[in-house]
Amino acid sequence: MHSIDLLGTGSATPKPARFYSPGGWADQVDAYIREELKEPCVLVVQGGLLPSALEVWRRSGSKAIAGISVLSPPSLTLTLTLTL
């Protein structure tokens, strides 16, 4: 199990002075999977990071994502808006 502390989240300080988009976080997760894990994995996603997980899946498909488990997902309207 790996727990990724994405830029702008978690307990790391100082916090960046800019906003990270779901696509920016997807870049980080995708790079971590390709460079560190080097095999498909199951993403466990909580809340508002669902759009980021869906973006990684859209970009890399089964090369990176074996499955996604979603905990407390945002409303479908929010998810669709953020991923478009």
Side-chain angles (χ1 to χ4, degrees), residues 10-80:
S11 59
T13 56
K15 297 283 187 229
R18 69 183 198 105
F19 174 75
Y20 286 92
S21 68
W25 286 320
D27 292 339
Q28 295 173 59
V29 173
D30 194 34
Y32 185 80
I33 293 169
R34 281 185 287 105
E35 297 168 13
E36 299 294 324
L37 300 180
K38 299 178 182 170
E39 63 184 346
C41 65
V42 174
L43 293 180
V44 178
V45 182
Q46 179 181 8
L49 285 175
L50 178 59
S52 298
L54 293 175
E55 179 61 15
V56 174
W57 181 45
R58 185 191 68 77
R59 293 176 185 182
S60 300
S62 61
K63 293 183 297 183
I65 306 299
I68 298 176
S69 178
V70 181
L71 309 167
S72 304
S75 70
L76 185 57
T77 303
L78 174 64
T79 302
L80 292 175

